[in-house]
Amino acid sequence: MRALWVSSLLISVAAGLPRVQVLPTVERPFVFMHLAKAGGQSLRKYVREGARRIGIPADQMYIPCSTGLDCWTFHINRTAGNFSVIAGHFGVTELEEAGITEYDCLFNIRDPVDRAMSCLSFFYNELFQDAGRWSEDTFRRKATEEGVGTAVCHNDAARMLVSGMDDSVFMKASESHEVSKVLVTKALASLKRCVVVDLFDGPAHGEEWHSKAHTVIKAYFPWLDNGQIIPRENISNATLQGRPQKPQRLPHRLMKELEKLNRVDRVIYSHAQRLMEQQHPALTK
Ligand SMILES: *[C@@H]1O[C@H](CO)[C@@H](O)[C@H](O)[C@H]1NC(C)=O
Ligand SMILES: *[C@@H]1O[C@H](CO)[C@@H](O)[C@H](O)[C@H]1NC(C)=O
Ligand SMILES: *[C@@H]1O[C@H](CO)[C@@H](O)[C@H](O)[C@H]1NC(C)=O
Ligand SMILES: *[C@@H]1O[C@H](CO)[C@@H](O)[C@H](O)[C@H]1NC(C)=O
């Protein structure tokens, strides 16, 4: 087993890939940067179970939703402890603020428009009931107004991967066809540090995508491997967990608005897809 880890470690380092994390430590914690509405909830639980199994003490885990903290916790509270396993809606800004610079990370990405649909229907059911009658402008206003969780719904991958992002950057991108190269470069640098999986990749969320993400997670984080399959029911049904059960389809013209609103994440997602191709085969052949 050990020999396998060491050889995977060498392979990954040589290829400029994220390194294999044999064990999470306080000095170099495991961080699951959980992009919301992208199928990560059962993965969080799986991480907590994995950490327990290898004897990580409860006070070294920072896993909102699973360890008594509110699910929508957006800050890592270092006053509460020094952590070796962190899993939640935390990006580079939150890690910086917590003074955590050395870490091994896992990032779950998803097609940005699918994610926005799932997110908006979760926070704002009415959007999909009434939207058919709305003009593009009305839709845009509703889909971005305060109180519908829009900070999480649009371009959240960019927000998590680049520190100091504010909405004007996204609005600017949605009006033009340009996405700042500096921004994309920064996002990609953060992404490259992490093992990236798309839990929705593949035909109809079938076996193929699942076993791919599964194999990759276990290859880079062998301490998580309990010899069993990562629970999949809630991952594959993740889109159904929002309200309503299935987001109604939006008219094409409004889908185009949603695409524009998420232009930054669209660019990041296309880079992420290439990155996943590089990260995955090296360790999974
Ligand atoms: C899946 O969802 C059900 C119902 O919400 C819950 O009881 C169960 O613990 C979840 N399983 C996992 C692996 O998250
Ligand atoms: C951070 O943790 C400390 C120690 O557990 C606690 O007293 C404090 O209320 C927490 N702060 C926040 C903002 O949750
Ligand atoms: C975290 O670790 C540092 C260095 O070992 C220690 O001084 C500090 O008290 C620890 N913080 C907590 C909240 O346990
Ligand atoms: C989740 O999806 C599977 C397969 O598509 C289905 O059999 C199962 O009933 C679903 N579970 C829930 C809670 O919707």
Side-chain angles (χ1 to χ4, degrees):
M1 219 34 191
R2 174 130 200 121
L4 185 66
W5 288 341
V6 171
S7 67
S8 327
L9 188 67
L10 292 177
I11 292 167
S12 66
V13 169
L17 298 169
R19 60 180 225 174
V20 172
Q21 186 184 53
V22 177
L23 282 176
T25 61
V26 165
E27 291 72 32
R28 195 176 170 99
F30 167 84
V31 182
F32 171 36
M33 295 187 187
H34 180 182
L35 179 66
K37 310 314 291 175
Q41 201 54 50
S42 36
L43 206 48
R44 266 203 223 190
K45 288 187 191 159
Y46 183 77
V47 166
R48 183 198 55 192
E49 293 312 317
R52 267 197 199 140
R53 202 178 46 252
I54 59 165
I56 301 284
D59 64 3
Q60 277 188 21
M61 295 183 209
Y62 198 74
I63 310 180
C65 251
S66 293
T67 55
L69 293 159
D70 187 88
C71 293
W72 299 96
T73 297
F74 295 97
H75 293 281
I76 302 170
N77 182 359
R78 282 298 301 277
T79 315
N82 292 311
F83 309 112
S84 54
V85 175
I86 297 167
H89 301 303
F90 310 123
V92 293
T93 305
E94 290 73 30
L95 288 163
E96 271 170 24
E97 282 169 4
I100 299 166
T101 53
E102 299 292 319
Y103 52 86
D104 294 304
C105 50
L106 175 63
F107 192 93
N108 63 317
I109 199 137
R110 182 180 180 186
D111 179 281
V113 167
D114 289 354
R115 199 186 77 81
M117 293 272 283
S118 161
C119 187
L120 288 170
S121 73
F122 181 80
F123 284 106
Y124 194 25
N125 197 354
E126 294 73 22
L127 195 65
F128 291 92
Q129 287 168 4
D130 303 337
R133 298 193 298 270
W134 292 341
S135 69
E136 284 84 331
D137 285 349
T138 305
F139 174 76
R140 172 177 279 246
R141 186 166 47 74
K142 299 264 188 189
T144 56
E145 73 192 1
E146 292 294 323
V148 293
T150 51
V152 174
C153 290
H154 307 297
N155 299 302
D156 204 35
R159 234 181 286 268
M160 290 179 79
L161 293 167
V162 182
S163 61
M165 294 302 297
D166 75 65
D167 278 345
S168 64
V169 175
F170 301 128
M171 283 305 148
K172 212 170 132 198
S174 77
E175 300 297 346
S176 72
H177 289 278
E178 297 280 308
V179 174
S180 147
K181 281 207 174 70
V182 175
L183 196 160
V184 173
T185 306
K186 282 186 183 165
L188 206 54
S190 299
L191 209 52
K192 271 185 168 164
R193 269 185 83 157
C194 298
V195 175
V196 184
V197 290
D198 181 347
L199 299 170
F200 287 85
D201 186 19
H205 313 160
E207 283 303 329
E208 192 189 319
W209 69 261
H210 186 259
S211 62
K212 193 167 157 193
H214 182 259
T215 309
V216 167
I217 291 167
K218 290 183 174 188
Y220 281 99
F221 305 103
W223 60 272
L224 275 175
D225 192 353
N226 62 2
Q228 288 173 8
I229 195 146
I230 296 173
R232 67 174 297 222
E233 75 276 32
N234 293 357
I235 296 179
S236 54
N237 292 347
T239 40
L240 302 181
Q241 285 178 23
R243 299 175 302 257
Q245 281 282 297
K246 216 179 207 148
Q248 290 153 26
R249 284 202 59 77
L250 290 170
H252 181 66
R253 61 194 172 84
L254 300 186
M255 289 300 283
K256 274 170 68 183
E257 281 302 305
L258 214 47
E259 190 66 58
K260 279 193 220 164
L261 280 174
N262 285 278
R263 185 166 274 144
V264 177
D265 266 18
R266 170 62 66 210
V267 173
I268 290 174
Y269 185 64
S270 64
H271 282 283
Q273 284 176 307
R274 272 200 296 278
L275 187 60
M276 285 187 286
E277 291 306 313
Q278 288 163 17
Q279 288 184 347
H280 296 180
L283 287 159
T284 57
K285 289 199 238 269

